[in-house]
Amino acid sequence: MAYTAFSSLPGLRYGVVSDLRTHCLMNGLATQAVLVPGTDCAFGELRAATGRLPKTEKLLLVVKLNNNMLETLNGLEAALESAMYSPLQNLQWLDVSFNSLSSVDAELLKFVQLKALYLHGNCIAKFGSIQRLQKLPKLLSLTINGNPIQSNRIYRTYILGVVPQIRALDHTSVTSEEANEAASWYRGHVRRMEVRKEQLRELRDQE
């Protein structure tokens, strides 16, 4: 598997995509390895940018930004432009596990070609954030375990209902029976939420 490992992306600041003080490791699904000399700094403690990373001639499909301290993915597209061609069209697998993300940023939803997304080991606590993943129509593999949201008893059922096309959740395959049960539960859940909203509107009108 080809990969390009690099120390930093342009204009970096600690805790955000545009300034990683640890590592930024990028993997591409090409057959011949392409390594940028002197920039393999995975899990390092880098404190300065080394300039723009030359674009590899190999097509990169996988980006690994795991095990950093990212609190947001804002600026991800611009940061990746320096390392790969047309990231919005070519990125298919993104690993941002073990960071400090508390929500699914709008920036992430730009990458509509994503087929695999690793979000495990972050700080996501609200189901509303997961619902945004409906805007990634090609998503087939998703990880969210290790987030506060996992403690909710409807965790797996809800996610499978919201993102029905995924075939693997938290590294576990989704069975047809499980998918059907989740779809049925989610339809009922939506109806219940609509009834609840209507009841709240009626109560407000009576005040």
Side-chain angles (χ1 to χ4, degrees), residues 73-156:
L73 295 178
N74 290 337
L76 180 60
E77 177 191 357
L80 293 181
E81 285 284 356
S82 72
M84 65 185 295
Y85 291 103
S86 302
L88 294 185
Q89 296 301 317
N90 292 322
L91 184 60
Q92 295 185 20
W93 178 9
L94 177 63
D95 184 353
V96 286
S97 59
F98 298 109
N99 278 285
S100 299
L101 302 172
S102 59
S103 66
V104 175
D105 292 328
E107 181 86 0
L108 182 60
L109 306 179
K110 296 178 180 180
F111 298 90
V112 295
Q113 302 300 322
L114 276 176
K115 296 180 180 179
L117 176 61
Y118 287 1
L119 288 167
H120 56 277
N122 277 283
C123 305
I124 299 171
K126 296 181 179 179
F127 279 128
S129 188
I130 302 304
Q131 196 164 12
R132 298 173 187 169
L133 296 176
Q134 292 176 327
K135 295 183 179 180
L136 297 177
K138 296 186 178 181
L139 192 62
L140 297 176
S141 179
L142 175 67
T143 64
I144 309 214
N145 54 306
N147 282 271
I149 196 175
Q150 189 182 14
S151 63
N152 194 299
R153 62 184 179 81
I154 63 170
Y155 162 77
R156 188 172 175 90

Side-chain angles (χ1 to χ4, degrees), residues 25-205:
L25 178 63
M26 297 186 64
N27 282 330
L29 301 179
T31 56
Q32 179 180 355
V34 178
L35 193 60
V36 180
T39 57
D40 187 351
C41 302
F43 291 90
E45 289 294 336
L46 301 172
R47 297 177 182 275
T50 56
R52 292 183 65 84
L53 181 72
K55 288 185 178 179
T56 173
E57 294 181 359
K58 301 299 180 182
L59 179 61
L60 298 179
L61 304 178
V62 182
V63 171
K64 291 189 176 182
L65 296 173
N66 54 296
N67 292 89
N68 283 287
M69 300 183 70
L70 300 176
E71 297 175 356
T72 177
L73 295 178
N74 290 337
L76 180 60
E77 177 191 357
L80 293 181
E81 285 284 356
S82 72
M84 65 185 295
Y85 291 103
S86 302
L88 294 185
Q89 296 301 317
N90 292 322
L91 184 60
Q92 295 185 20
W93 178 9
L94 177 63
D95 184 353
V96 286
S97 59
F98 298 109
N99 278 285
S100 299
L101 302 172
S102 59
S103 66
V104 175
D105 292 328
E107 181 86 0
L108 182 60
L109 306 179
K110 296 178 180 180
F111 298 90
V112 295
Q113 302 300 322
L114 276 176
K115 296 180 180 179
L117 176 61
Y118 287 1
L119 288 167
H120 56 277
N122 277 283
C123 305
I124 299 171
K126 296 181 179 179
F127 279 128
S129 188
I130 302 304
Q131 196 164 12
R132 298 173 187 169
L133 296 176
Q134 292 176 327
K135 295 183 179 180
L136 297 177
K138 296 186 178 181
L139 192 62
L140 297 176
S141 179
L142 175 67
T143 64
I144 309 214
N145 54 306
N147 282 271
I149 196 175
Q150 189 182 14
S151 63
N152 194 299
R153 62 184 179 81
I154 63 170
Y155 162 77
R156 188 172 175 90
T157 302
Y158 181 89
I159 294 175
L160 294 181
V162 169
V163 198
Q165 77 274 15
I166 62 175
R167 296 294 174 261
L169 176 61
D170 298 337
H171 306 292
T172 302
S173 296
V174 179
T175 65
S176 297
E177 181 180 3
E178 186 179 26
N180 291 335
E181 290 178 353
S184 177
W185 178 89
Y186 186 68
R187 286 192 296 270
H189 172 73
V190 171
R191 287 194 296 269
R192 289 189 294 273
M193 291 299 100
E194 291 174 349
V195 169
R196 186 172 300 176
K197 288 180 181 179
E198 181 61 30
Q199 291 173 340
L200 289 174
R201 281 195 294 266
E202 292 176 355
L203 288 174
R204 286 194 297 267
D205 291 342

